[in-house]
Amino acid sequence: CAVVFFTYSGEKKRSAGQLQQDIAGQIIRFHVRANSDTDEDQQLKLLVKEELVTYIGDILKDVKSRDDAEKILSDNIENIENIAKGVIKDNKKEYNVKAYFEDSYFPVKVYGDMTFPQGIYEAFRVDIGAADGKNWWCILYPTLCFVDSTYQTVPDESKEKLKENLTEEEYDMLLEGGENVEYGFWLWELFR
């Protein structure tokens, strides 16, 4: 019984982990990290974020795949850094800005009616100054970066992009928060 229990537990965990990895392979998350945790630096981070979300939303609006989104972001890193620097300069600060891709751990994140599982995701990161402050994040592709936080459900267009790029099981996991996903257990089926 113990062997069967631990085998089943391990199989279930691996399956949930594999689903998270598959989901992560189809999206790009977005980080904007403040210089520090002072109120002034946190407010500046939000101003930078608003400008970048607007700009990035425009350049990614017709993108059909994660790979295309990654290429467009890579090609526009200098523009993105310059937009952030402009906001910083307009607010009479002299912080440097660095934009780059990295793999980052994210906790569970709820966007309207979808729940993204915790795990490692590729993120497009923008660091302001020393980047020692709290960060702001969202899903950059497909775009779930709401400038207006009044959304209670994910827009249909973003759901369609997710549906096109994920399997039915992966998509259902997002809608169900990972709670009701059924996992197969090959040893149990063989035993039955």
Side-chain angles (χ1 to χ4, degrees):
C1 286
V3 169
V4 169
F5 173 76
F6 288 114
T7 303
Y8 175 73
S9 297
E11 182 68 22
K12 183 175 180 180
K13 216 177 244 185
R14 187 196 65 74
S15 296
Q18 184 60 49
L19 282 173
Q20 181 278 324
Q21 290 174 7
D22 293 344
I23 291 168
Q26 297 301 320
I27 66 174
I28 300 173
R29 295 185 85 152
F30 185 41
H31 262 214
V32 179
R33 187 170 298 275
N35 178 62
S36 74
D37 282 333
T38 66
D39 289 344
E40 194 175 27
D41 281 347
Q42 287 296 310
Q43 184 60 35
L44 181 61
K45 170 192 73 180
L46 295 176
L47 294 172
V48 168
K49 177 268 300 185
E50 288 176 19
E51 287 295 317
L52 292 181
V53 166
T54 300
Y55 174 75
I56 292 171
D58 287 343
I59 63 173
L60 295 183
K61 70 180 174 191
D62 296 325
V63 171
K64 303 288 187 218
S65 74
R66 182 191 173 283
D67 291 341
D68 290 345
E70 187 174 340
K71 179 169 182 359
I72 289 169
L73 289 168
S74 293
D75 292 347
N76 282 277
I77 282 180
E78 188 175 334
N79 293 340
I80 290 166
E81 289 175 345
N82 288 335
I83 289 168
K85 287 175 187 174
V87 172
I88 292 166
K89 185 177 179 183
D90 289 347
N91 285 274
K92 299 174 179 36
K93 294 286 185 184
E94 294 185 16
Y95 299 141
N96 193 24
V97 174
K98 176 101 173 107
Y100 55 97
F101 285 95
E102 73 168 4
D103 288 335
S104 296
Y105 171 82
F106 286 85
V108 172
K109 183 70 174 174
V110 177
Y111 285 98
D113 55 347
M114 301 188 100
T115 302
F116 288 81
Q118 69 182 6
I120 304 295
Y121 292 84
E122 182 176 44
F124 184 71
R125 182 167 161 175
V126 176
D127 290 344
I128 301 171
D132 288 332
K134 292 182 182 108
N135 65 52
W136 176 91
W137 69 66
C138 70
I139 304 287
L140 192 57
Y141 177 82
T143 185
L144 301 179
C145 295
F146 306 135
V147 176
D148 178 3
S149 61
T150 60
Y151 284 94
Q152 295 302 311
T153 59
V154 173
D156 289 338
E157 182 179 321
S158 295
K159 281 185 178 179
E160 282 304 313
K161 282 187 183 178
L162 282 168
K163 219 178 224 186
E164 289 170 8
N165 292 297
L166 299 174
T167 66
E168 184 177 337
E169 184 180 23
E170 293 161 358
Y171 185 76
D172 288 346
M173 182 182 190
L174 295 179
L175 291 176
E176 297 167 3
E179 297 298 319
N180 299 320
V181 177
E182 293 182 23
Y183 301 96
F185 178 48
W186 67 270
L187 189 57
W188 176 252
E189 296 300 321
L190 181 66
F191 180 72
R192 278 189 10 195

